[in-house]
Amino acid sequence: MKKATIKDIALLAGVNPSTVSRALKDHPDISTDVREKIKAIATQLKYTPNLAAINLRSKNSKVIGLVIPDINMYFMPSVISGITQLLHQFGFNILVLNSQDNIEKETENIRICCNHGVDGILLSVTNQTTNYNHLQIAYEQEIPIVLFDKTIKQNVFDEVNINDSGAALQCANYLIDKHCKHVLLVLGNPQLKITKDRELAINKALNAKKIFTTPLYANNSMEAYSLTCTMLQNDLTIDGIFGMSDETMVGINAALYQNNKKIHTVVISDGQLPALMTPPMTYVKHDGYALGTLAAKVLLKHIQDSNYRAINQPYWIDTEIIQPTNNQQVNTQ
Amino acid sequence: MKKATIKDIALLAGVNPSTVSRALKDHPDISTDVREKIKAIATQLKYTPNLAAINLRSKNSKVIGLVIPDINMYFMPSVISGITQLLHQFGFNILVLNSQDNIEKETENIRICCNHGVDGILLSVTNQTTNYNHLQIAYEQEIPIVLFDKTIKQNVFDEVNINDSGAALQCANYLIDKHCKHVLLVLGNPQLKITKDRELAINKALNAKKIFTTPLYANNSMEAYSLTCTMLQNDLTIDGIFGMSDETMVGINAALYQNNKKIHTVVISDGQLPALMTPPMTYVKHDGYALGTLAAKVLLKHIQDSNYRAINQPYWIDTEIIQPTNNQQVNTQ
DNA sequence: CTGTTAGCGCGTTCAC
DNA sequence: GTGAACGCGCTAACAG
């Protein structure tokens, strides 16, 4: 059976399609009995409105495009959860476009958003993205864009980010408190703003206290593991470790275990994973869910008010340091 | 500037809209010079086709709905990657609907798919889903549905799954090899087919060898951790552990560490995470990416051939057991 | 080779 | 309180 249309209902009810249209949206003009009759037929026919038709008329799709470099990460899932959760409340649905860390894919994804007539775009860029020329199509069609998480410098679009410097500073203070003298910095891709910001901030804070640092760049957990192993074996002066992400944390944890070392470690993480490391790790919690929610809120502002202009500075999600309590380690019952 | 339409191009080119339509899709009837002229104007106007209009006419949206219980960080991301990667090749985009493990949300998500006129639905159900009545709307509109990962018993729709029994059997054989006598089964939600299948298969295999088993049901890592802790403290005969997922694994690992136990453990997992547990864990690898790809392929068959009928048995992704090599533990460099 | 016409499903404006 | 008519952007059938 095909999809029932308003016309089908009108035929069965012996009324005009426009009457059905009004009845279905509780227009006050329609008499109660006619309305009820029409609604009964609608449910009986299992009528569902055709959003393509509505979209064509109304020129807004109630869909927003979510363009991300990759889903297969620790952080992105909770960000996506936050975004969908908030937008759903306002009746928006999400078209997810994966750029597979490829600038051409990203460009195409922006175009797909335009074709679909999305009401807005949330964009986290690939490692290869160096400018925003490919956003021009969307910009000229007046589709609002909000950048989040993985961004590059610009001053055209609103931007939502973790307070990376703040988070790194919190980590530095922890290591300073522990009287560390030589800190190993386990970092991610050095191309990304997020890596640069965190590295810069922690280096500055530690160096101000005359604490020596050694950076190390790993693209995934396995690399973090093996590089950290090598460092721990070759340099016995290391008495503190900073991990900038969940990926690096897992590698650090394995390396510490493998080399049977106990070294003050602090990481930046999204979730409960640090509590389940062995032993539980101290971490600075950055809330991906909150980031997603905020990004969605900012985009909504642009959608609802076309005169709303981008502010000239990023929106920030602040972080907090979480230390494993004894209670937590021994018994969570 | 508003979105340019075919009409706008026609006006500037001094031709009829239908001519523009044909030129843009390289219809052979159109002369080369007219076609080139039209295309030039199109790019100049930054024309992007209005998919809503095309959808309205052609009655297929090139969008498929992906309805999932939640985007947890372990398994789902790689499944989604597989799905998007394959469907993208065929020009489909993905509307992601998160049911937040809530049956009402799931029902609404199915309805949203219908409203959007998706060409097909990929569905992984919530913990609360006990039947498929809520799929009727989609079924009657002849929207093909393929179930994957989290499913419940039925024989109407095609279904793509990990070979759960096979995976559990591989785990059982490992524990049998290790001469275990009492195995703790750390399982997920007992309502789900995936849990039942894995529990049933490992129980059957172990019991056949007179190996005693104790089941334990946890909804997340933290629960797995605390429940396992309690068991390990109260029952000292446990000499083997089976974890059915990444979630349970992380909890098991923490519990073993906390109680300072070394017990033969094997888990079913998607990725590299087991290799980074402390010590590295033996695991049976189930390939989420492959699962996503296969589910998408099966759905495509239904979309491309409306006469294609569901086969009366699940499609399966086979698994393989991965044991940490000494090499891997000590040095991956 | 190109123009004309009609209609996909819906909501809105204008009648009555 | 309800019906008739139009148009959103696009394409396919039919003309010429």
Side-chain angles (χ1 to χ4, degrees):
Chain A
M1 190 166 56
K2 295 291 180 62
K3 218 172 127 105
T5 72
I6 279 191
K7 224 189 246 172
D8 298 328
I9 300 175
L11 227 58
L12 255 86
V15 298
N16 192 281
S18 60
T19 306
V20 176
S21 172
R22 284 182 277 229
L24 254 28
K25 42 174 42 185
D26 293 320
H27 195 288
D29 276 1
I30 306 295
S31 65
T32 323
D33 49 342
V34 173
R35 191 199 316 152
E36 292 312 318
K37 182 182 170 192
I38 287 175
K39 282 195 175 179
I41 298 178
T43 51
Q44 188 197 330
L45 254 50
K46 295 198 170 37
Y47 168 77
T48 56
N50 185 326
L51 256 43
I54 295 176
N55 181 0
L56 186 57
R57 264 193 67 84
S58 70
K59 300 189 176 293
N60 62 22
S61 59
K62 294 300 244 176
V63 169
I64 78 110
L66 178 59
V67 182
I68 53 181
D70 201 2
I71 319 179
N72 203 353
M73 296 169 29
Y74 293 89
F75 189 50
M76 211 43 93
S78 51
V79 179
I80 297 182
S81 286
I83 292 171
T84 50
Q85 212 282 335
L86 191 125
L87 287 181
H88 182 266
Q89 293 173 18
F90 292 84
F92 287 88
N93 291 116
I94 319 264
L95 203 63
V96 176
L97 288 320
N98 187 333
S99 307
Q100 297 172 241
D101 241 321
N102 177 321
I103 176 70
E104 275 95 33
K105 282 259 164 67
E106 183 170 295
T107 307
E108 197 196 334
N109 284 340
I110 296 293
R111 176 171 280 276
I112 290 174
C113 285
C114 294
N115 294 350
H116 274 280
V118 299
D119 295 340
I121 297 175
L122 287 169
L123 170 64
S124 187
V125 305
T126 71
N127 283 337
Q128 302 178 343
T129 307
T130 55
N131 62 61
Y132 288 126
N133 293 341
H134 57 308
L135 303 189
Q136 187 125 16
I137 332 171
Y139 184 77
E140 294 195 353
Q141 293 184 9
E142 294 174 4
I143 300 175
I145 300 178
V146 169
L147 308 168
F148 71 96
D149 194 38
K150 303 260 177 89
T151 61
I152 56 179
K153 207 173 156 47
Q154 52 84 39
N155 53 9
V156 178
F157 306 107
D158 264 332
E159 181 176 336
V160 181
N161 258 314
I162 295 296
N163 182 349
D164 289 308
S165 309
L169 193 59
Q170 287 170 324
C171 289
N173 286 338
Y174 173 82
L175 295 167
I176 291 167
D177 274 358
K178 298 297 180 187
H179 306 292
C180 296
K181 293 293 161 213
H182 180 187
V183 173
L184 179 65
L185 309 178
V186 186
L187 305 161
N189 186 323
Q191 306 285 354
L192 292 177
K193 186 168 171 295
I194 187 174
T195 304
K196 282 181 199 150
D197 286 353
R198 292 179 182 188
E199 180 177 13
L200 214 67
I202 196 164
N203 255 328
K204 187 176 166 194
L206 292 180
N207 293 347
K209 298 283 179 180
K210 310 272 187 231
I211 298 173
F212 191 68
T213 58
T214 303
L216 172 167
Y217 304 95
N219 283 313
N220 53 51
S221 297
M222 255 315 176
E223 275 186 36
Y225 165 68
S226 56
L227 293 173
T228 305
C229 272
T230 310
M231 279 305 301
L232 290 180
Q233 285 153 16
N234 293 342
D235 190 334
L236 301 179
T237 68
I238 291 170
D239 57 1
I241 302 181
F242 163 75
M244 70 161 263
S245 63
D246 276 303
E247 281 97 329
T248 55
M249 172 186 66
V250 175
I252 292 168
N253 185 59
L256 286 173
Y257 173 87
Q258 204 59 48
N259 293 278
N260 201 25
K261 298 256 189 186
K262 292 202 189 305
I263 296 178
H264 293 298
T265 303
V266 59
V267 301
I268 301 179
S269 163
D270 183 47
Q272 354 65 327
L273 222 48
L276 292 164
M277 291 292 103
T278 52
M281 275 195 188
T282 298
Y283 67 106
V284 166
K285 181 178 171 62
H286 65 169
D287 192 336
Y289 191 89
L291 176 62
T293 307
L294 182 56
K297 273 185 193 160
V298 174
L299 183 61
L300 268 184
K301 275 198 213 168
H302 285 277
I303 292 174
Q304 288 165 350
D305 176 10
S306 58
N307 291 321
Y308 184 78
R309 286 285 157 264
I311 64 175
N312 214 349
Q313 106 193 36
Y315 289 85
W316 270 342
I317 298 289
D318 278 321
T319 56
E320 58 173 332
I321 191 157
I322 312 272
Q323 305 209 30
T325 62
N326 232 4
N327 189 27
Q328 221 182 335
Q329 290 179 54
V330 178
N331 191 359
T332 57
Q333 286 279 73
Chain B
M1 190 168 53
K2 294 291 178 65
K3 218 172 126 101
T5 73
I6 279 191
K7 225 188 243 173
D8 298 330
I9 301 174
L11 228 58
L12 255 87
V15 297
N16 193 281
S18 61
T19 305
V20 176
S21 172
R22 283 182 281 231
L24 253 28
K25 44 175 41 184
D26 291 322
H27 194 289
D29 277 1
I30 305 295
S31 66
T32 323
D33 48 344
V34 174
R35 189 197 321 151
E36 292 312 319
K37 181 181 172 193
I38 287 175
K39 283 195 174 181
I41 298 178
T43 50
Q44 188 200 328
L45 254 49
K46 294 198 172 33
Y47 168 77
T48 57
N50 184 327
L51 256 41
I54 294 176
N55 181 359
L56 187 59
R57 267 193 64 85
S58 70
K59 304 198 173 279
N60 61 27
S61 59
K62 294 301 244 176
V63 169
I64 77 110
L66 179 59
V67 181
I68 53 181
D70 202 3
I71 314 187
N72 67 57
M73 62 191 271
Y74 298 105
F75 189 52
M76 210 46 92
S78 52
V79 179
I80 298 181
S81 286
I83 291 171
T84 49
Q85 212 281 335
L86 190 124
L87 286 181
H88 182 264
Q89 294 173 16
F90 292 84
F92 287 88
N93 291 118
I94 320 268
L95 203 62
V96 176
L97 289 318
N98 188 334
S99 307
Q100 296 171 240
D101 241 322
N102 176 321
I103 176 68
E104 276 94 34
K105 282 261 166 65
E106 184 171 294
T107 308
E108 196 196 334
N109 284 341
I110 296 293
R111 175 172 283 275
I112 290 174
C113 285
C114 293
N115 294 352
H116 273 280
V118 298
D119 294 341
I121 297 175
L122 287 169
L123 170 64
S124 189
V125 304
T126 71
N127 284 338
Q128 302 179 343
T129 307
T130 55
N131 62 60
Y132 287 128
N133 294 340
H134 58 309
L135 303 189
Q136 189 124 15
I137 333 171
Y139 184 76
E140 294 194 354
Q141 293 185 11
E142 295 174 3
I143 300 175
I145 301 179
V146 168
L147 308 168
F148 71 96
D149 194 36
K150 304 259 177 89
T151 62
I152 55 179
K153 206 172 155 47
Q154 52 83 41
N155 53 11
V156 178
F157 306 108
D158 263 332
E159 180 177 336
V160 181
N161 258 312
I162 297 297
N163 182 349
D164 291 306
S165 309
L169 192 60
Q170 288 171 324
C171 290
N173 286 337
Y174 173 81
L175 295 167
I176 291 167
D177 274 359
K178 298 297 181 188
H179 307 291
C180 297
K181 292 296 164 208
H182 181 187
V183 173
L184 179 65
L185 309 179
V186 186
L187 306 161
N189 184 318
Q191 306 285 354
L192 292 178
K193 188 167 171 296
I194 188 174
T195 305
K196 283 181 196 152
D197 286 353
R198 291 179 183 189
E199 179 176 13
L200 213 69
I202 196 164
N203 256 327
K204 187 177 166 193
L206 293 179
N207 293 348
K209 296 284 182 182
K210 311 272 186 227
I211 299 173
F212 191 67
T213 57
T214 302
L216 174 165
Y217 305 95
N219 283 314
N220 54 52
S221 297
M222 256 314 176
E223 275 186 38
Y225 165 69
S226 56
L227 293 174
T228 304
C229 273
T230 311
M231 279 305 301
L232 291 179
Q233 285 154 15
N234 294 342
D235 190 334
L236 300 178
T237 68
I238 291 169
D239 57 1
I241 302 181
F242 163 76
M244 70 161 265
S245 63
D246 276 302
E247 281 97 329
T248 56
M249 174 187 66
V250 175
I252 292 168
N253 185 61
L256 286 173
Y257 173 86
Q258 205 59 47
N259 293 278
N260 201 25
K261 298 257 189 185
K262 291 202 189 304
I263 295 179
H264 294 299
T265 303
V266 60
V267 301
I268 302 179
S269 163
D270 184 46
Q272 352 66 324
L273 222 47
L276 293 164
M277 291 294 101
T278 52
M281 276 196 188
T282 299
Y283 69 106
V284 167
K285 181 181 171 60
H286 66 170
D287 191 335
Y289 190 89
L291 175 63
T293 307
L294 183 56
K297 273 186 192 161
V298 174
L299 183 60
L300 268 184
K301 276 196 210 169
H302 285 277
I303 292 174
Q304 288 165 349
D305 175 9
S306 57
N307 292 319
Y308 184 76
R309 287 287 158 264
I311 63 175
N312 212 349
Q313 105 192 37
Y315 289 85
W316 272 341
I317 299 289
D318 279 320
T319 57
E320 58 172 332
I321 192 159
I322 313 272
Q323 306 208 30
T325 62
N326 231 5
N327 189 27
Q328 222 181 331
Q329 290 180 52
V330 179
N331 192 357
T332 57
Q333 286 277 73

